[in-house]
DNA sequence: CGTCCTCTAAACAACT
DNA sequence: CAGTTGTTTAGAGGAC
């Protein structure tokens, strides 16, 4: 024992040091994202138009001043007059025209906030068009003015003295005034140009709202503010959201509507899922279909712009395994990426034009020449709702790609680190995380499972979002370095399962881990759940609702990067929890013993915690199983699909279930909506993802530990993933363990068998139904498959 | 401030 | 014997 422990400790320590790296990197990323956000960022909530206008005016003013100051060859030789007038006139004039002028920053802000109304966009467009003409006109005007000035100056040199001077001054003033006007015009032009550029970029999807820090950045769809509780987490998340989240759920929904022309509910595939939780985005799931939206990749939409914006509704329904979908999505994304890069190169003239084809997302209109393209651009992709929506979608795409990129980078790093190639570490972090993982992994897994897979795919890499997403995380990560990794105090675990009402019925959104699956799998972030919750989840996740201790361990390690280190600690905790909580029942098996969950007890325990609202408790049971059956599958699908793409928790949403009804349920409590899943990343907010709902949701009982996440959902969600894995079991163990799932474990060693009557476990239906009896029992298999599944 | 909950650590027994 | 599994106790810290 001792030896083992000491050994593990050593390892863990080393790993910890390594973690430092991850921490740093994550912080870096975060910083990056922040930067990115900065532009848009601060305006967390929507800004009223008036405010925007004010901002615009101010910025315009500043810009104008700068311009005037810089204006080198303005032609005016008498600075005096100019100086005097500047202050007065410029502001006014600028202010006058400011309304229509939007600086790039503002533009970005607006876009990010989704504040940009169609009207505004329209205005921008008009400006753009006008710019061309104005430009020419102004240039001519400018030349003339200069000439005039010169002439005047020359003339003035001859005449008398005082009169001359006066005249001169007057003239100069006049000129100055003119100059100002001119400059203003120039400024306007400049701004317009900038705007145009911005628009172009956006069209192209180049405009990335969130900062580079992909990671954090965001998961777009989440935006909602969080509720007061969990301030920490919320805070972190919020920050992230601001920065990252380009679109609020509501906005996305709207977007979808715009794009699709109607309902957005397809939860599909897009990899982007927005957590409904959010502010009430209620929206169902609006996911954006990245694949389709993007340009060429989606060949299907020959008629680009028009009607079919590439929103695909296939996903879930299409019968393909989510995993496959995910992969495909990823591939598509990559393709798009490549394409975009190509476009840039080849396009030359216009980012949206290349190879004689309009590169507008979804549009492949053939344009003989650039002029034709411009025409096409202005006619087909003018500023309208559709274009706006597509623009937004593109923004989302970019965000996602950035996130993906960061993830891939991290992975690469981890891989290299693992191979001892040690790439340049992101930051001078004292402790490299990545390595740790492998080490720890080997440590942990060795005994149980072959080290092979686990590490590769999962190397705890994506520190990114975590931080932002989960406030708590930071502490954890930070703590990671230090011996004491803070406790998971801040877990929402059970507390946050949120019951949402979908279609009137209260449904438990039980996304639990599913949505954030990918995130936690890769990010060395401590999951915001208690051990008990996780253990339960692990068990529920299994085909027959029972796992051996070792399998539970395996689940932890494969599901959470965080548990790939410090094995001694968390394993001990797991054992401790298994023993301590009545809800975990040990069942003697031929092979040994397996652990099952006494759902009754589990719920009991939670319900007890829920002080206030009995109603909540009451809801639990019912909500657990039934109402959500459908939703469960959907969620599962969503979760799966979204995971790969996003890789970030935030994106995922609870899916359709949460969708529309969220608002209603959550009602006033924003926290609920966000469900803890912060927008962005974290969908981002991890918390939200997993737990689903903040306490508030639950009938307002604060601590709502009810979380009762019905196994069903989760299970179903995972089925796709895990199920396949399970089957894969190479060991051939098919060991049937105990067939009876949750229901009644054959032997309850630990406690008296609770009344696990059939009634008790509604979920059992779901979970068990799908599964084939044989499971994997080996961790090894699981481990090996892990990567695949998860991926 | 007290209580509750969870996490962590550790000791120990039983089993493999 | 070494390692794993399971139980139990105790202390610390956070949340309410």
């Amino acid at each position: 024992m001792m030896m083992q422990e000491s050994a593990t400790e050593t390892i863990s320590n080393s790993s910890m040091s390594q973690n430092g790296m991850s921490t740093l990197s994550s912080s870096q990323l975060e910083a990056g994202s922040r930067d990115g956000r900065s532009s848009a960022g601060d305006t967390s909530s929507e800004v009223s138009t008036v405010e925007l206008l004010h901002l615009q005016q101010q910025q315009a003013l500043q810009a104008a001043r700068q311009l005037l100051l810089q204006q080198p060859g303005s032609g005016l030789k008498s600075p005096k007059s100019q100086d005097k007038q500047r202050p007065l006139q410029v502001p006014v004039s600028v202010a006058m025209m400011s309304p229509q002028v939007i600086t790039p920053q503002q533009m970005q802000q607006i876009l990010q906030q989704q504040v940009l109304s169609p009207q505004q966009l329209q205005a921008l467009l008009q400006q753009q068009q006008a710019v061309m003409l104005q430009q020419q006109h102004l240039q001519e005007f400018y030349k003339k003015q200069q000439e005039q000035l010169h002439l005047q100056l020359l003339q003035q040199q001859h005449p008398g003295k005082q009169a001359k001077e006066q005249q001169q001054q007057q003239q100069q003033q006049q000129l100055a005034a003119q100059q100002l006007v001119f400059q203003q015009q120039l400024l306007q032009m400049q701004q317009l140009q900038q705007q145009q550029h911005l628009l172009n970029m956006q069209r192209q999807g180049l405009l990335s709202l969130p900062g580079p820090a992909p990671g954090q950045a965001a998961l777009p769809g989440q935006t909602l503010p969080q509720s007061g509780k969990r301030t920490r987490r919320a805070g972190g998340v919020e920050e992230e959201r601001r920065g990252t989240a380009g679109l609020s759920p509501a906005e996305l929904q709207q977007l979808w509507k715009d794009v699709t022309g109607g309902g957005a509910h397809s939860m599909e595939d897009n990899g982007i899922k927005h957590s409904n939780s959010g502010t009430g985005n209620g929206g169902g799931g609006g996911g954006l279909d990245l694949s389709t939206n993007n340009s060429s990749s989606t060949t299907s939409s020959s008629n680009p712009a028009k009607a079919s914006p590439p929103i695909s509704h296939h996903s879930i329904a299409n019968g393909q395994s989510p995993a496959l979908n995910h992969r495909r999505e990823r591939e598509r994304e990559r393709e798009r990426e490549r394409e975009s890069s190509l476009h840039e190169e080849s396009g030359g003239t216009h980012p949206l034009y290349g190879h004689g084809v309009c590169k507008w997302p979804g549009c492949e209109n053939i344009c003989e020449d650039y002029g034709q393209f411009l025409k096409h651009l202005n006619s087909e992709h003018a500023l309208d709702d559709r274009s706006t929506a597509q623009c937004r979608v593109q923004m989302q795409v970019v965000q996602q790609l950035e996130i993906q990129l960061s993830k891939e980078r991290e992975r690469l790093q981890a891989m290299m680190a693992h191979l001892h190639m040690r790439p340049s570490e992101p930051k001078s972090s004292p402790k490299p995380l990545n390595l740790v993982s492998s080490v720890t992994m080997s440590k942990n897994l060795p005994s149980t499972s072959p080290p092979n897979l686990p590490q590769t795919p999962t190397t705890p890499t994506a520190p990114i979002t975590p931080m932002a997403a989960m406030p708590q995380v930071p502490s954890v990560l930070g703590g990671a370095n230090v011996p004491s990794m803070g406790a998971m105090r801040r877990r929402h675990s059970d507390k946050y399962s949120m019951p949402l009402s979908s279609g009137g019925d209260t449904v438990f959104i039980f996304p639990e881990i599913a949505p954030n699956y990918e995130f936690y799998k890769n990010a060395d972030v401590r999951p915001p759940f208690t051990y008990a919750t996780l253990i339960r989840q692990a068990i529920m996740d299994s085909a027959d609702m029972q796992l051996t201790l070792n399998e539970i361990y395996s689940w932890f390690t494969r599901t959470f990067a965080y548990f790939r280190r410090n094995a001694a600690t968390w394993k001990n905790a797991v054992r401790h929890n298994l023993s301590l909580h009545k809800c975990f029942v040990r069942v003697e098996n031929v092979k040994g013993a397996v652990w099952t969950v006494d759902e009754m007890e589990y719920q009991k325990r939670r319900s007890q915690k829920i002080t206030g609202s009995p109603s909540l408790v009451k809801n639990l049971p019912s909500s657990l199983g039934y109402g959500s059956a459908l939703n469960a599958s959907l969620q599962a699908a969503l979760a799966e699909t979204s995971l790969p793409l996003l890789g970030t928790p935030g994106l995922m949403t609870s899916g359709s279930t949460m969708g529309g009804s969220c608002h209603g349920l959550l009602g006033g409590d924003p926290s609920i909506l966000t469900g803890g899943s912060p927008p962005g990343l974290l969908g981002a907010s991890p918390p939200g993802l997993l737990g689903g709902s903040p306490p508030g949701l639950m009938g307002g009982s604060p601590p709502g530990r009810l979380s009762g996440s019905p196994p069903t959902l989760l299970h179903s969600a995972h089925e796709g993933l895990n199920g396949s894995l399970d089957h894969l079991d190479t060991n051939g163990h098919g060991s049937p363990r105990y067939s009876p799932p949750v229901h009644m474990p054959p032997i309850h060693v630990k406690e008296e068998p609770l009344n696990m009557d059939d009634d008790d476990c509604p979920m059992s239906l779901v979970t068990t139904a799908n599964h084939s009896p044989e499971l994997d029992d080996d961790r090894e298999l699981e481990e090996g498959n892990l990567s695949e599944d998860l991926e």
Side-chain angles (χ1 to χ4, degrees):
Chain A
M1 291 173 64
M2 300 301 286
M3 301 211 30
Q4 183 188 356
E5 287 185 66
S6 61
T8 52
E9 278 198 52
T10 310
I11 291 172
S12 64
N13 288 338
S14 65
S15 65
M16 287 170 70
S17 61
Q18 288 175 336
N19 288 340
M21 184 172 91
S22 67
T23 305
L24 287 177
S25 64
S26 64
S27 62
Q28 273 186 314
L29 289 172
E30 199 179 10
S33 66
R34 279 182 199 152
D35 294 344
R37 298 171 202 154
S38 62
S39 59
D42 303 328
T43 47
S44 55
S45 50
E46 301 200 6
V47 179
S48 69
T49 352
V50 176
E51 288 176 316
L52 274 175
L53 284 177
H54 279 297
L55 279 174
Q56 290 177 357
Q57 288 178 358
Q58 287 181 348
Q59 286 195 353
L61 256 175
Q62 282 190 338
R65 282 179 186 154
Q66 283 187 341
L67 244 180
L68 288 174
L69 288 173
Q70 293 175 351
Q71 201 78 344
S74 61
L76 274 185
K77 310 223 165 168
S78 68
K80 276 189 182 178
S81 59
Q82 209 176 359
D83 289 340
K84 289 179 183 175
Q85 294 186 351
R86 259 184 227 150
L88 296 176
Q89 291 193 353
V90 172
V92 177
S93 58
V94 171
M96 299 282 283
M97 61 187 218
S98 61
Q100 291 208 345
V101 178
I102 299 173
T103 63
Q105 292 83 358
Q106 287 178 340
M107 179 89 160
Q108 213 172 349
Q109 272 189 346
I110 294 170
L111 287 173
Q112 285 188 341
Q113 295 176 355
Q114 311 281 318
V115 178
L116 199 58
S117 68
Q119 290 80 3
Q120 284 177 316
L121 284 173
Q122 194 72 38
L124 281 174
L125 232 173
Q126 289 177 349
Q127 286 181 3
Q128 278 185 356
Q129 293 177 340
V131 171
M132 302 285 275
L133 294 174
Q134 278 190 21
Q135 235 173 336
Q136 293 180 347
H137 183 68
L138 283 175
Q139 281 182 346
E140 288 180 21
F141 177 73
Y142 186 67
K143 283 182 184 176
K144 285 182 184 176
Q145 261 202 333
Q146 279 189 324
E147 288 178 14
Q148 226 180 350
L149 251 177
H150 280 294
L151 284 174
Q152 286 179 348
L153 287 174
L154 286 174
Q155 287 178 351
Q156 286 174 4
Q157 286 179 353
H158 296 289
K161 304 172 182 178
Q162 293 185 350
K164 221 194 276 171
E165 286 184 356
Q166 280 188 342
Q167 248 190 344
Q168 204 174 346
Q169 277 219 328
Q170 281 186 341
Q171 285 184 343
Q172 283 184 345
Q173 285 183 353
Q174 275 190 336
L175 285 174
Q178 284 183 329
Q179 189 75 20
L180 275 175
V181 174
F182 175 67
Q183 287 174 343
Q184 288 170 5
Q185 286 178 318
L186 279 178
L187 177 65
Q188 194 173 4
M189 269 183 45
Q190 218 179 14
Q191 289 179 335
L192 285 174
Q193 285 179 324
Q194 286 179 332
Q195 289 171 21
Q196 196 171 18
H197 181 62
L198 255 173
L199 278 174
N200 286 338
M201 286 183 66
Q202 288 181 346
R203 285 175 182 162
Q204 218 180 320
L206 292 177
L207 183 64
S208 62
L209 300 181
Q216 310 285 330
L219 311 178
Q222 340 215 328
T223 35
L224 306 177
Q226 306 231 341
S227 56
K229 288 193 180 181
R230 320 178 202 169
T231 48
R232 289 186 195 165
R233 293 173 205 147
V237 172
E238 272 187 57
E239 270 190 76
E240 216 166 314
R241 286 181 195 157
R242 282 182 208 151
T244 57
L247 305 177
S248 69
E251 301 249 340
L252 281 174
Q253 204 178 357
Q254 183 61 39
L255 177 62
W256 278 110
K257 285 181 186 172
D258 294 343
V259 176
T260 54
H265 1 306
S266 42
M267 14 189 353
E268 30 272 38
D269 56 329
N270 351 336
I272 306 175
K273 314 235 153 155
H274 302 278
S275 64
N276 325 339
S277 42
T279 44
N281 10 354
L288 300 181
D289 183 24
L290 296 180
S291 64
T292 48
N293 286 332
N294 285 328
S295 51
S296 45
S297 56
T298 52
T299 52
S300 59
S301 60
S302 57
N303 198 336
K306 307 237 159 171
S308 51
I311 294 173
S312 60
H313 305 271
H314 45 294
S315 65
I316 295 174
N318 64 5
Q320 295 188 346
S321 72
L324 284 177
N325 285 335
H326 280 307
R327 287 178 193 172
R328 287 181 190 175
E329 291 274 358
R330 276 193 182 180
E331 286 179 21
R332 281 181 212 158
E333 275 195 74
R334 283 172 193 160
E335 276 185 44
R336 284 175 220 147
E337 254 180 310
R338 284 178 224 139
E339 280 190 31
S340 64
S341 61
L342 283 176
H343 296 181
E344 289 188 38
E345 294 174 11
S346 62
T349 49
H350 198 293
L352 286 174
Y353 181 65
H355 302 299
V357 175
C358 173
K359 298 294 184 184
W360 182 278
C363 175
E364 292 183 2
N365 197 332
I366 297 174
C367 302
E368 303 283 297
D369 54 32
Y370 188 67
Q372 195 176 352
F373 160 73
L374 286 177
K375 278 185 186 177
H376 162 77
L377 195 60
N378 289 327
S379 61
E380 295 298 317
H381 307 301
L383 257 185
D384 54 16
D385 288 349
R386 192 193 62 204
S387 296
T388 303
Q390 289 176 327
C391 197
R392 288 179 183 171
V393 170
Q394 188 63 27
M395 285 164 64
Q396 296 277 315
V397 172
V398 172
Q399 284 186 337
Q400 291 309 311
L401 288 174
E402 285 178 347
I403 293 168
Q404 185 69 28
L405 175 62
S406 70
K407 279 192 77 176
E408 296 299 330
R409 276 202 190 123
E410 296 240 9
R411 183 176 297 189
L412 172 62
Q413 233 179 0
M415 289 170 72
M416 292 177 77
H418 176 65
L419 298 175
H420 306 292
M421 293 174 68
R422 286 236 178 185
S424 59
E425 315 229 25
K427 287 206 169 180
S428 61
S429 63
K431 322 175 175 184
L433 234 195
N434 300 336
L435 296 182
V436 176
S437 64
S438 59
V439 175
T440 47
M441 289 291 295
S442 59
K443 231 257 154 157
N444 299 339
L445 301 180
S447 56
T448 58
S449 61
N452 23 0
L453 302 182
Q455 327 171 329
T456 45
T458 48
T459 45
T461 43
I464 332 165
T465 25
M467 308 288 289
M470 329 177 50
Q472 54 188 41
V473 170
S475 64
V476 174
L477 288 178
N481 302 338
V482 184
S484 66
M485 353 201 2
M488 321 175 151
R489 295 280 151 75
R490 316 134 178 192
R491 57 236 158 195
H492 344 21
S493 50
D494 5 4
K495 308 179 180 178
Y496 310 95
S497 56
M498 23 173 55
L500 293 184
S501 70
S502 76
D505 291 349
T506 306
V507 177
F508 257 97
I509 293 189
F510 179 86
E512 300 231 337
I513 299 164
N516 299 308
Y517 204 58
E518 187 77 6
F519 172 80
Y520 288 109
K521 188 182 130 199
N522 297 314
D524 188 21
V525 175
R526 177 164 206 149
F529 303 94
T530 62
Y531 280 114
T533 302
L534 291 174
I535 293 167
R536 173 176 166 275
Q537 189 61 54
I539 294 170
M540 295 307 228
D541 242 6
S542 68
D544 40 9
M545 309 285 265
Q546 59 183 12
L547 291 175
T548 62
L549 179 63
N550 208 358
E551 288 169 340
I552 292 172
Y553 289 161
S554 295
W555 184 87
F556 271 70
T557 54
R558 76 166 181 263
T559 307
F560 303 97
Y562 179 82
F563 292 115
R564 285 169 202 151
R565 53 199 177 85
N566 300 320
T569 298
W570 65 262
K571 283 183 177 178
N572 186 14
V574 168
R575 288 194 304 272
H576 171 251
N577 275 270
L578 284 171
S579 296
L580 193 64
H581 299 301
K582 294 179 182 178
C583 59
F584 299 117
V585 180
R586 182 170 175 270
V587 178
E588 293 283 347
N589 190 347
V590 178
K591 266 172 92 176
V594 294
W595 289 93
T596 62
V597 175
D598 179 342
E599 201 57 31
M600 286 288 281
E601 197 64 37
Y602 185 77
Q603 297 304 337
K604 231 197 245 171
R605 180 169 143 250
R606 300 205 161 179
S607 61
Q608 290 178 348
K609 295 177 185 176
I610 302 173
T611 55
S613 58
S615 62
L616 292 179
V617 176
K618 183 176 133 198
N619 291 339
L620 276 181
S622 61
S623 60
L624 288 181
Y626 318 72
S628 46
L630 279 182
N631 294 332
S633 60
L634 289 177
Q635 282 189 349
L638 287 177
E640 288 213 2
T641 52
S642 61
L643 289 178
L645 287 179
L646 306 182
T648 49
L651 298 179
M652 297 293 306
T653 58
S654 46
S656 59
T657 22
M658 302 195 60
S661 53
C662 293
H663 294 286
L665 294 176
L666 300 181
D669 189 345
S671 64
I672 293 171
L673 290 180
T674 35
S677 72
L681 298 192
L682 227 188
S685 62
L689 299 176
L690 302 177
S693 63
L697 295 179
M698 309 286 306
S701 69
R705 301 222 167 143
L706 281 185
S707 81
S709 38
T712 54
L713 290 182
L714 221 180
H715 187 71
S716 61
H718 282 289
E719 294 250 296
L721 298 177
N722 293 340
S724 61
L725 292 179
D726 294 351
H727 299 299
L728 293 179
D729 257 356
T730 49
N731 294 342
H733 282 295
S735 64
R737 306 180 180 172
Y738 271 161
S739 48
V742 178
H743 303 293
M744 308 281 312
I747 305 169
H748 287 273
V749 176
K750 197 176 181 183
E751 277 209 358
E752 348 131 349
L754 306 183
N755 319 320
M756 300 279 296
D757 295 344
D758 299 335
D759 321 36
D760 299 350
C761 21
M763 52 264 299
S764 61
L765 292 176
V766 179
T767 52
T768 48
N770 301 337
H771 267 312
S772 64
E774 45 181 319
L775 303 180
D776 45 315
D777 65 71
D778 303 341
R779 330 107 194 211
E780 304 171 0
L781 289 179
E782 292 179 0
E783 297 277 349
N785 295 333
L786 285 182
S787 58
E788 294 181 9
D789 297 345
L790 297 178
E791 300 278 303

